[in-house]
Amino acid sequence: MSAAAELPTKEAHILKGHEGAVLAARFNGDGNYALTCGKDRTIRLWNPHRGILIKTYKSHGREVRDVHVTSDNAKFCSCGGDRQVYYWDVSTGRVIRKFRGHDGEVNAVKFNDSASVVVSAGFDRSLRVWDCRSHSVEPVQIIDTFLDTVMSVVLTKTEIIGGSVDGTVRTFDMRIGREMSDNLGQPVNCISISNDGNCVLAGCLDSTLRLLDRTTGELLQVYKGHISKSFKTDCCLTNSDAHVIGGSEDGLVFFWDLVDAKVVSKFRAHDLVVTSVSYHPKEDCMLTSSVDGTVRVWKK
Amino acid sequence: MGPDEEDFVFHGTPIEREEEIASRKKKAVAGASGNLRTLPAWKQEVTDEEGRRRFHGAFTGGYSAGYYNTVGSKEGWAPQSFTSSRKNRAGARKQSISDFLDEDEKADMEGKSLSASSQFDTFGFTAAEHSRKQAEKEQHERPSAIPGPVPDELVAPVSESIGVKLLLKMGWRRGHSIKDVRASSDARREARKAFLAFSTDENTKETPDSLVSEAEVETSLGPQYSEDIKISESTPVYVLNPKQDLHGLGYDPFKHAPEFREKKRSRLSANKEVGFRKPLSMKESLFGPKSGKIAPGFGIGALEELDVEDEDVYAGYDFDQTYVIEDEQPARPSNDNRLRLTSKEHDVLPGFGAAKNSDYSMERFNPPKIPKDFVARHKFSGPLEAETKPTVSAPPEVPPPADNNLKLLIEGFATFVSRCGKLYEDLSREKNQSNQLFDFLREGNGHDYYARRLWEEQQKRKDQSKLTLDVKLSPIVQKMTAETRGSLLGEKPLQRSLTETDTSASSGGSFQFPTNLSDTFTKSASSQEAADAVKPFKDDPAKQERFEQFLKEKYKGGLRTTDSNRVNSMSESARAQERLDFEAAAEAIEKGKAYKEVRRATEQPIDFLAGGLQFTSGGTEQIKDTGVVDMKSSKTYPKREEFQWRPSPLLCKRFDLPDPFMGKLPPAPRARNKMDSLIFLPDTVKAASTRQVSESQEPKKETSIEEPEVEVEVENVERPVDLYKAIFSDDSEDDEDQPITGKIQEGQEKKNEAAATTLNRLIAGDFLESLGKELGFEVPSDVPYQEGFKPIEEESKSRSKPEDSSDKRLDRSGLKEKVEEKRSSLILGSEEEKSRKKREKSPRKRSGGNDLSSGESSGDERRRKRSNKKDRHITNHSESDSSSDYHSRDKQGSRSRRKRRESSREKRSSHKKHSKHHRTKKSSSSRYSSDEEQKESRREKKRRRD
């Protein structure tokens, strides 16, 4: 089977519009739209399949580091250097609420499945859970067991998973009230969860991606070859969980085979640091964003 | 509504307007007559002649804004058209001048006024208007900072010069010549030109527009000149160079820095030549170092300051950084010189010429001739070399003295003297005159040997210094460090090893050798060597080298000799930055070593530090012995640990999950102030031991078996909390609890007293204890100041009495307190009052029940102890929830965070230790009425005191 053939390595569109680095690019729930955010303090809504900019959202005071859309596409949340989490209305472009409370920049945000809460990961070594339903502006919960900056957060139906520079991936299970801390020994840059929900892929700052078994905490595989040492670069898995994708600081994008950790494919996606990779929820399509100010759409 | 009113029949329509106007007029009249003045201020209205409400108070919202022009009401500041709807937002309405004009004024504005056409422009007004417009048009062609035409008022022509006026006064009349009619107009013209040149700025000549204007002036003046002596009607000198900068009128930014004026001007003219404007370099130089790394293109809010956060991490990829700099670089100075030269060469002032032959001539001298044997290097006749001269001849080789100690001493001393100079020898000779050991300094035993050693050492040193000098001479080798050089030459690191053996040997002897002194300044060389082995800046050899240099200097201590010639290629800020880097790296190395040692001891790998460091200090590479740890990490990582974590009920609700902790007590609150953490900080050892105990207990933590060993620890510690408090806590903290007026100035005093009493108590403790026991003391409540407490005291006493004998042991400490209290009251007299207050306040924060001194009665304490037993398991339970996690977590440790947590955990555990009672009271106060009561009584007490 020619693995590389079914990977999205052909450039379909370039989304240009951001001035300055693009820090994150995210598909929406069904993959028809994409949200990007960057150093120009804007969030942009695109149709990546046609390469059209639909809307620009401005309100952030500093760079926007992460953005996430609800599954019903009605709202999205964003966060960034201004230490706040913004809760937006997609259609009107208004900020519904701002959640203040982080003592430092906010690195990542995620909605839960029902979009009732936003979880944000901050430089202040905490995860904060914000309530979207009530009018309370206080966090529902503050998780501050991390020893260093929390870089990335992922939610499942019952768990909150955070990856931190202290080298841990911590899973907070709400059903049993336990915290599972998997110490990788290396600063964790980005985490993403496999589509079957059994594994966590953690991008570490020693230029390594690590695949962990979630139930046992076992290290399943290590992926190397790219450069990830000082920038926040993303990693993710393909829809079939067959391949691992990681962005590199030299502008390349790497595809590894999940099982035997071979580099199946790598290509130059950008001139500069690839900050984010996002995989289409259903099709073989991928978004990459870069410091060079562009977002590229990749298809088979 | 009388019935008669219904009979009225109205015909036609009443002319209301008339009436209205009339009423208005009436009002106006009334206002004028002062009737209105009786009205309250906010009811008064300003009207115009016709009684209409006059528009005024534009700045406060038009008409009378709010209550009498204050915007203190709901009406004040009401926007003109306030349409606030989510979907249909009010657009920014553009206001025009007509919004603010009355009708009559509008009528004026709308061009209904008459004006003379140019045909009939007798008085020239229209012509003036026309010319003004012309000027306006012209203005567009030569831009200046002030938009629009130059206001007439500013440059109103002077109709008559003062000279003309004077002449007129002296009897001269227009049209008449003063004298010398034939004075050639050419000469006059020349003189005027010179005058013009004076009055204009010297350089404006070069700018084309000023030339133009001058020409204009000339031409406009031309005919008048020809008209014999007729003096011009207006002085023509104004607006010769349009204002092109943004400074205030008359402000000269270059007043004290004329050289910049030159620079600026030359740049401006250069710009004009090239045809585009470069960004002002001033900005660059002002904000350069700061803003170099800001994200491209986007500023931050005006009210925010630039931060570390604003640095662009991607700055390495910033492209437009380069072009900004080049602006400042070009060789302007030379340009300036040229300008100045030329301006000197040419005749700037018409009418003046450069002298052909001047008396003054510059005498030039040839540079002095350098003697052929001159070497371009200065030799310092330092103390070292100067003093070696007399002893150049080598003393004879002498066998060392038999006494080994003496030999060592002599050798060491010789080394030291050779290093520090002869002065040191003299000094120590004086000092140790009576000392037998130092006889060798004064022709005594071993002097010959000493002389020999000294000479040898000095030879060595000379060689070395020569070597270094030689090396320094050749520029190629300049970048070498001493180490590399040494290794190249195959020599051993002389100095250090020598002193080390010396010191180690001498310290083995019976005396302490002074060379140790030099070593106290330097850290152990072993650490330095280890540091040398680690290369955090491998990828940048130059930097690494500098780092090594830095380390060396750091560990050598003492006076630092930075060789500036190497570093000065870097900018100040870069150097500072690098220094910070180095310091961080050095610290990390040291820490890493400490950790390694720990690891060796405990066999527990700790790699947080390394990991954390790598990310935070971007420049430094990860510091660790890579190979080994990598191997290790692959085996030890990932490590899984589990802790208890308590999701908030609302979180569970939002995730549609049942709360696993439903119905359980909330976790214990955290410490309230920094004093707490401070107080419990120092006893790490104890904390560690307890931690270990509780760790072993962890599996069965939700049982209540922990009790006994916690019990043991209760007695464990008594700490001079007052002492800490007196030293560290601030008064505001205390005052919060018990605000006392007029006490603040005594704060310091109070502190001292508190400290003193604490010490007293500690010292007197044992004595009093035994004393109290012997006497079988029923301590009377403290007499001198007790009025306030009486009721409670009595109550508690009465309660305590029946059980008194049995409780003696338990209450001993309390007793002790009282005895001592009394004593100190005797001793300290009036001061007692204050210190008591202090102590009284403290129980809240202070832990021990034992310390609940004067105010607390023994009965209370007993009750608490009893209740304590009852609810202890509850406390334990709630504590174990929260603290067990911390215990196990602490094993991992971390950097600063770890410390903090440790202290907080210590707080926890020592809370457990000291403040059993205190805690229980807090957590279960609602249930146990006795505690409630006690609290109440304390509060009561306070109230009374106040």
Side-chain angles (χ1 to χ4, degrees), chain A residues 222-248:
Chain A
V222 170
Y223 308 95
K224 287 187 177 183
H226 66 303
I227 305 169
S228 168
K229 280 179 177 161
S230 45
F231 297 100
K232 180 164 166 38
T233 53
D234 265 1
C235 57
C236 63
L237 291 131
T238 57
N239 292 326
S240 56
D241 281 342
H243 295 102
V244 171
I245 310 168
S248 175

mmCIF file of all heavy atoms in Angstrom, chain A residues 222-248:
data_model
loop_
_atom_site.group_PDB
_atom_site.id
_atom_site.type_symbol
_atom_site.label_atom_id
_atom_site.label_comp_id
_atom_site.label_asym_id
_atom_site.label_seq_id
_atom_site.Cartn_x
_atom_site.Cartn_y
_atom_site.Cartn_z
ATOM 1 N N VAL A 222 7.711 6.255 19.831
ATOM 2 C CA VAL A 222 8.406 7.542 19.812
ATOM 3 C C VAL A 222 8.641 7.929 18.356
ATOM 4 O O VAL A 222 9.062 7.101 17.559
ATOM 5 C CB VAL A 222 9.757 7.431 20.552
ATOM 6 C CG1 VAL A 222 10.575 8.675 20.332
ATOM 7 C CG2 VAL A 222 9.536 7.214 22.026
ATOM 8 N N TYR A 223 8.332 9.155 18.027
ATOM 9 C CA TYR A 223 8.487 9.614 16.646
ATOM 10 C C TYR A 223 9.508 10.735 16.614
ATOM 11 O O TYR A 223 9.354 11.740 17.314
ATOM 12 C CB TYR A 223 7.148 10.095 16.106
ATOM 13 C CG TYR A 223 6.052 9.075 16.281
ATOM 14 C CD1 TYR A 223 5.221 9.128 17.384
ATOM 15 C CD2 TYR A 223 5.888 8.043 15.371
ATOM 16 C CE1 TYR A 223 4.232 8.190 17.572
ATOM 17 C CE2 TYR A 223 4.902 7.094 15.546
ATOM 18 C CZ TYR A 223 4.075 7.164 16.651
ATOM 19 O OH TYR A 223 3.105 6.226 16.828
ATOM 20 N N LYS A 224 10.493 10.546 15.778
ATOM 21 C CA LYS A 224 11.555 11.553 15.719
ATOM 22 C C LYS A 224 11.847 11.950 14.284
ATOM 23 O O LYS A 224 11.413 11.282 13.346
ATOM 24 C CB LYS A 224 12.837 10.998 16.353
ATOM 25 C CG LYS A 224 12.737 10.911 17.861
ATOM 26 C CD LYS A 224 14.059 10.516 18.488
ATOM 27 C CE LYS A 224 13.893 10.516 19.989
ATOM 28 N NZ LYS A 224 15.094 10.223 20.705
ATOM 29 N N GLY A 225 12.614 12.968 14.150
ATOM 30 C CA GLY A 225 13.026 13.398 12.822
ATOM 31 C C GLY A 225 12.777 14.868 12.598
ATOM 32 O O GLY A 225 13.496 15.533 11.883
ATOM 33 N N HIS A 226 11.768 15.368 13.213
ATOM 34 C CA HIS A 226 11.453 16.786 13.041
ATOM 35 C C HIS A 226 12.209 17.607 14.082
ATOM 36 O O HIS A 226 12.900 17.060 14.935
ATOM 37 C CB HIS A 226 9.952 16.995 13.176
ATOM 38 C CG HIS A 226 9.434 16.705 14.552
ATOM 39 N ND1 HIS A 226 9.599 15.490 15.175
ATOM 40 C CD2 HIS A 226 8.775 17.482 15.432
ATOM 41 C CE1 HIS A 226 9.066 15.541 16.372
ATOM 42 N NE2 HIS A 226 8.548 16.732 16.564
ATOM 43 N N ILE A 227 12.019 18.898 14.006
ATOM 44 C CA ILE A 227 12.649 19.789 14.984
ATOM 45 C C ILE A 227 11.549 20.462 15.782
ATOM 46 O O ILE A 227 10.634 21.073 15.228
ATOM 47 C CB ILE A 227 13.483 20.873 14.292
ATOM 48 C CG1 ILE A 227 14.511 20.234 13.358
ATOM 49 C CG2 ILE A 227 14.172 21.739 15.332
ATOM 50 C CD1 ILE A 227 15.167 21.239 12.462
ATOM 51 N N SER A 228 11.635 20.298 17.053
ATOM 52 C CA SER A 228 10.713 21.009 17.919
ATOM 53 C C SER A 228 11.446 21.258 19.223
ATOM 54 O O SER A 228 11.518 20.400 20.081
ATOM 55 C CB SER A 228 9.456 20.172 18.141
ATOM 56 O OG SER A 228 8.698 20.731 19.177
ATOM 57 N N LYS A 229 11.970 22.418 19.320
ATOM 58 C CA LYS A 229 12.802 22.705 20.486
ATOM 59 C C LYS A 229 12.357 23.932 21.244
ATOM 60 O O LYS A 229 12.458 23.992 22.451
ATOM 61 C CB LYS A 229 14.254 22.905 20.053
ATOM 62 C CG LYS A 229 14.946 21.600 19.837
ATOM 63 C CD LYS A 229 16.356 21.812 19.382
ATOM 64 C CE LYS A 229 17.082 20.490 19.231
ATOM 65 N NZ LYS A 229 18.261 20.620 18.403
ATOM 66 N N SER A 230 11.911 24.909 20.541
ATOM 67 C CA SER A 230 11.605 26.124 21.280
ATOM 68 C C SER A 230 10.282 26.771 20.882
ATOM 69 O O SER A 230 9.841 27.685 21.549
ATOM 70 C CB SER A 230 12.724 27.135 21.116
ATOM 71 O OG SER A 230 13.120 27.203 19.783
ATOM 72 N N PHE A 231 9.670 26.315 19.821
ATOM 73 C CA PHE A 231 8.407 26.914 19.434
ATOM 74 C C PHE A 231 7.273 25.954 19.729
ATOM 75 O O PHE A 231 7.464 24.751 19.862
ATOM 76 C CB PHE A 231 8.400 27.243 17.945
ATOM 77 C CG PHE A 231 9.419 28.259 17.562
ATOM 78 C CD1 PHE A 231 10.609 27.871 16.999
ATOM 79 C CD2 PHE A 231 9.181 29.601 17.794
ATOM 80 C CE1 PHE A 231 11.556 28.811 16.649
ATOM 81 C CE2 PHE A 231 10.123 30.544 17.453
ATOM 82 C CZ PHE A 231 11.306 30.149 16.870
ATOM 83 N N LYS A 232 6.113 26.531 19.811
ATOM 84 C CA LYS A 232 4.960 25.668 19.987
ATOM 85 C C LYS A 232 4.543 25.162 18.632
ATOM 86 O O LYS A 232 4.081 25.922 17.790
ATOM 87 C CB LYS A 232 3.815 26.443 20.616
ATOM 88 C CG LYS A 232 2.579 25.617 20.837
ATOM 89 C CD LYS A 232 1.636 26.309 21.787
ATOM 90 C CE LYS A 232 0.246 25.714 21.790
ATOM 91 N NZ LYS A 232 0.161 24.275 21.681
ATOM 92 N N THR A 233 4.775 23.918 18.434
ATOM 93 C CA THR A 233 4.354 23.314 17.184
ATOM 94 C C THR A 233 3.357 22.217 17.497
ATOM 95 O O THR A 233 3.426 21.594 18.546
ATOM 96 C CB THR A 233 5.541 22.709 16.423
ATOM 97 O OG1 THR A 233 6.223 21.825 17.297
ATOM 98 C CG2 THR A 233 6.486 23.772 15.949
ATOM 99 N N ASP A 234 2.469 21.989 16.572
ATOM 100 C CA ASP A 234 1.367 21.062 16.815
ATOM 101 C C ASP A 234 1.665 19.669 16.299
ATOM 102 O O ASP A 234 2.564 19.464 15.486
ATOM 103 C CB ASP A 234 0.110 21.573 16.116
ATOM 104 C CG ASP A 234 -0.727 22.378 17.070
ATOM 105 O OD1 ASP A 234 -0.306 22.533 18.220
ATOM 106 O OD2 ASP A 234 -1.797 22.831 16.660
ATOM 107 N N CYS A 235 0.892 18.740 16.795
ATOM 108 C CA CYS A 235 0.933 17.405 16.237
ATOM 109 C C CYS A 235 -0.480 16.847 16.276
ATOM 110 O O CYS A 235 -1.307 17.288 17.068
ATOM 111 C CB CYS A 235 1.874 16.513 17.045
ATOM 112 S SG CYS A 235 1.446 16.403 18.773
ATOM 113 N N CYS A 236 -0.749 15.909 15.405
ATOM 114 C CA CYS A 236 -2.075 15.311 15.442
ATOM 115 C C CYS A 236 -2.028 13.963 14.731
ATOM 116 O O CYS A 236 -0.981 13.520 14.243
ATOM 117 C CB CYS A 236 -3.108 16.232 14.801
ATOM 118 S SG CYS A 236 -2.831 16.547 13.066
ATOM 119 N N LEU A 237 -3.139 13.320 14.720
ATOM 120 C CA LEU A 237 -3.231 12.011 14.071
ATOM 121 C C LEU A 237 -4.206 12.096 12.913
ATOM 122 O O LEU A 237 -5.109 12.939 12.909
ATOM 123 C CB LEU A 237 -3.716 10.969 15.074
ATOM 124 C CG LEU A 237 -2.733 10.610 16.177
ATOM 125 C CD1 LEU A 237 -3.400 10.652 17.514
ATOM 126 C CD2 LEU A 237 -2.134 9.246 15.918
ATOM 127 N N THR A 238 -4.014 11.213 11.960
ATOM 128 C CA THR A 238 -4.971 11.186 10.864
ATOM 129 C C THR A 238 -6.255 10.519 11.344
ATOM 130 O O THR A 238 -6.309 9.938 12.424
ATOM 131 C CB THR A 238 -4.410 10.409 9.663
ATOM 132 O OG1 THR A 238 -4.067 9.101 10.112
ATOM 133 C CG2 THR A 238 -3.192 11.077 9.103
ATOM 134 N N ASN A 239 -7.261 10.605 10.498
ATOM 135 C CA ASN A 239 -8.576 10.123 10.927
ATOM 136 C C ASN A 239 -8.585 8.630 11.198
ATOM 137 O O ASN A 239 -9.325 8.143 12.043
ATOM 138 C CB ASN A 239 -9.623 10.462 9.868
ATOM 139 C CG ASN A 239 -9.821 11.950 9.807
ATOM 140 O OD1 ASN A 239 -9.726 12.632 10.823
ATOM 141 N ND2 ASN A 239 -10.056 12.467 8.614
ATOM 142 N N SER A 240 -7.804 7.922 10.462
ATOM 143 C CA SER A 240 -7.776 6.475 10.651
ATOM 144 C C SER A 240 -6.792 6.068 11.739
ATOM 145 O O SER A 240 -6.619 4.889 12.005
ATOM 146 C CB SER A 240 -7.389 5.801 9.334
ATOM 147 O OG SER A 240 -6.147 6.329 8.906
ATOM 148 N N ASP A 241 -6.158 7.039 12.335
ATOM 149 C CA ASP A 241 -5.118 6.792 13.334
ATOM 150 C C ASP A 241 -3.950 5.992 12.748
ATOM 151 O O ASP A 241 -3.218 5.333 13.484
ATOM 152 C CB ASP A 241 -5.665 6.037 14.548
ATOM 153 C CG ASP A 241 -6.421 6.976 15.482
ATOM 154 O OD1 ASP A 241 -6.208 8.196 15.360
ATOM 155 O OD2 ASP A 241 -7.206 6.499 16.292
ATOM 156 N N ALA A 242 -3.821 6.044 11.444
ATOM 157 C CA ALA A 242 -2.742 5.275 10.837
ATOM 158 C C ALA A 242 -1.439 6.057 10.845
ATOM 159 O O ALA A 242 -0.368 5.465 10.880
ATOM 160 C CB ALA A 242 -3.111 4.909 9.407
ATOM 161 N N HIS A 243 -1.554 7.347 10.821
ATOM 162 C CA HIS A 243 -0.357 8.162 10.736
ATOM 163 C C HIS A 243 -0.358 9.260 11.791
ATOM 164 O O HIS A 243 -1.404 9.716 12.237
ATOM 165 C CB HIS A 243 -0.232 8.801 9.350
ATOM 166 C CG HIS A 243 -0.040 7.804 8.266
ATOM 167 N ND1 HIS A 243 -1.066 7.426 7.434
ATOM 168 C CD2 HIS A 243 1.039 7.090 7.894
ATOM 169 C CE1 HIS A 243 -0.616 6.515 6.585
ATOM 170 N NE2 HIS A 243 0.658 6.292 6.849
ATOM 171 N N VAL A 244 0.839 9.621 12.109
ATOM 172 C CA VAL A 244 1.039 10.723 13.043
ATOM 173 C C VAL A 244 1.600 11.898 12.256
ATOM 174 O O VAL A 244 2.483 11.722 11.420
ATOM 175 C CB VAL A 244 2.028 10.300 14.145
ATOM 176 C CG1 VAL A 244 2.429 11.488 14.989
ATOM 177 C CG2 VAL A 244 1.423 9.224 15.009
ATOM 178 N N ILE A 245 1.065 13.059 12.498
ATOM 179 C CA ILE A 245 1.514 14.248 11.782
ATOM 180 C C ILE A 245 2.150 15.220 12.760
ATOM 181 O O ILE A 245 1.626 15.435 13.848
ATOM 182 C CB ILE A 245 0.332 14.952 11.090
ATOM 183 C CG1 ILE A 245 -0.484 13.955 10.280
ATOM 184 C CG2 ILE A 245 0.832 16.076 10.202
ATOM 185 C CD1 ILE A 245 -1.799 14.511 9.818
ATOM 186 N N GLY A 246 3.228 15.769 12.366
ATOM 187 C CA GLY A 246 3.874 16.761 13.228
ATOM 188 C C GLY A 246 4.494 17.864 12.411
ATOM 189 O O GLY A 246 5.054 17.627 11.347
ATOM 190 N N GLY A 247 4.376 19.058 12.912
ATOM 191 C CA GLY A 247 5.004 20.196 12.258
ATOM 192 C C GLY A 247 6.402 20.384 12.798
ATOM 193 O O GLY A 247 6.702 20.032 13.930
ATOM 194 N N SER A 248 7.242 20.931 11.960
ATOM 195 C CA SER A 248 8.631 21.099 12.366
ATOM 196 C C SER A 248 9.008 22.570 12.308
ATOM 197 O O SER A 248 8.396 23.363 11.602
ATOM 198 C CB SER A 248 9.527 20.283 11.437
ATOM 199 O OG SER A 248 10.872 20.525 11.741
#
